[in-house]
Amino acid sequence: MTAPAAPPLRPTRLGVEALFPELTGLARETTLLCPRIGEPGVRDSSVGGPLLWPADEPWPMCGAEGHYEPLRRPTEVVGPEPVAMVPVVQLYARDVPELPFPAGTDVLQVVWCPLLHDDGIDAVSPRLYWRDERAVGAGTLRSDRPEPYTADEDFVPRPCTVTPTRAVEYPNGDLPEGLGEALTDRFDEVERRFGVSYFDAATTIQSKVGGYPGWTQAPDWPTCRCGRRMAHLLSVTATETGPWHGDDDADAGHGMDMGDLGGVYLFVCTTCPDRPFAHRYDC
């Protein structure tokens, strides 16, 4: 089930634009998912939880030739049997209405192959499904799913409830060219004065919907085949913050290290009717 609402993790604007007028107009709304280990059901928003899946729809399998498990010594290509994908995110419109749901849908599901892929991105391979809860729920639901016969555990989430928490953030890696350099001295001055850095106070690197990707490397926005830059749909990251995410908290988060504390960023084109999507990974 969706966890009870929690206080926002950060004040909403923090006077950012008063301190840095150059950032005026760059604020974006985001929804932090704040996953916490739990027992979500198929009708709950979750990270790593069971999905509202029709019984007559085959479970997605990955038969890519270039997927591999990097922890094997030596590294070997896995196969030829397809690998069952794992549930990563399920979000209902009642919990995250700001998601750009296509008409007639109110559930977003993300699964991915829990192995790395030699596809130029060197990450897991996700798939997105947009569903109508009422239509799917009116039929028979799948009661179980196949488990992958092999997986990189860095990319297999524990079942978690989520606490969608709205916030406003400003760009990190997506600061306009030259602006980060120009503001360095003032960033340092504000940190000395208030005891918190701009990046900790005004940006987020955690699992979230919308806002800015929490890039740890240089930004790499995908372009749709229609020529438009895709919109950031959601991020799933190893880094999570909040009052329950201390190192000694056994209930903290989905448990994925995602390589070296990396993140998978999903993008979608909201202009094209078939909603093409793309993903990026960095760590």
Side-chain angles (χ1 to χ4, degrees):
M1 57 184 160
T2 303
L9 300 184
R10 61 191 69 239
T12 322
R13 286 185 185 267
L14 295 171
V16 170
E17 293 175 19
L19 293 168
F20 308 106
E22 296 89 341
L23 300 181
T24 299
L26 296 180
R28 288 189 182 177
E29 293 184 355
T30 185
T31 299
L32 313 177
L33 295 181
C34 309
R36 181 176 173 83
I37 191 169
E39 298 181 0
V42 297
R43 294 184 183 274
D44 296 318
S45 294
S46 64
V47 170
L51 304 183
L52 186 80
W53 200 273
D56 59 357
E57 182 175 329
W59 187 259
M61 310 290 287
C62 181
E65 294 182 1
H67 58 191
Y68 62 95
E69 187 178 351
L71 297 182
R72 290 190 176 190
R73 294 292 183 268
T75 297
E76 299 172 359
V77 173
V78 175
E81 301 86 357
V83 176
M85 293 191 164
V86 298
V88 180
V89 173
Q90 177 167 266
L91 296 174
Y92 283 84
R94 58 178 174 268
D95 297 318
V96 192
E98 54 271 37
L99 271 168
F101 288 96
T105 70
D106 55 6
V107 186
L108 168 63
Q109 297 169 333
V110 179
V111 300
W112 64 39
C113 174
L115 297 172
L116 301 189
H117 293 68
D118 187 12
D119 58 359
I121 299 176
D122 294 326
V124 294
S125 181
R127 294 182 193 172
L128 272 60
Y129 298 84
W130 302 94
R131 299 194 186 277
D132 177 350
E133 178 185 9
R134 179 175 295 183
V136 176
T140 305
L141 300 179
R142 176 180 282 273
S143 58
D144 59 2
R145 63 175 178 84
E147 296 290 338
Y149 66 86
T150 185
D152 182 341
E153 294 301 324
D154 272 9
F155 294 93
V156 179
R158 302 183 295 191
C160 290
T161 59
V162 296
T163 305
T165 303
R166 278 73 189 176
V168 171
E169 67 175 350
Y170 290 81
N172 183 346
D174 286 299
L175 281 168
E177 185 175 0
L179 185 57
E181 250 180 66
L183 292 177
T184 296
D185 289 343
R186 284 163 56 202
F187 283 160
D188 292 343
E189 178 187 349
V190 166
E191 184 170 2
R192 286 192 299 269
R193 184 177 170 190
F194 296 104
V196 61
S197 74
Y198 161 79
F199 298 98
D200 288 338
T203 73
T204 64
I205 302 178
Q206 61 193 95
S207 298
K208 60 184 175 180
V209 169
Y212 291 96
W215 306 109
T216 54
Q217 305 295 333
D220 183 19
W221 289 80
T223 300
C224 180
R225 62 175 181 266
C226 70
R228 295 178 175 85
R229 189 171 86 166
M230 289 187 168
H232 175 235
L233 180 68
L234 65 90
S235 294
V236 181
T237 66
T239 304
E240 299 289 354
T241 60
W244 46 74
H245 288 292
D247 291 340
D248 57 350
D249 188 345
D251 291 338
H254 49 59
M256 294 186 290
D257 288 337
M258 307 183 75
D260 185 13
L261 297 182
V264 174
Y265 316 109
L266 299 174
F267 303 84
V268 68
C269 178
T270 57
T271 302
C272 293
D274 60 342
R275 292 295 171 91
F277 72 93
H279 69 287
R280 295 289 188 266
Y281 167 72
D282 66 12
C283 64

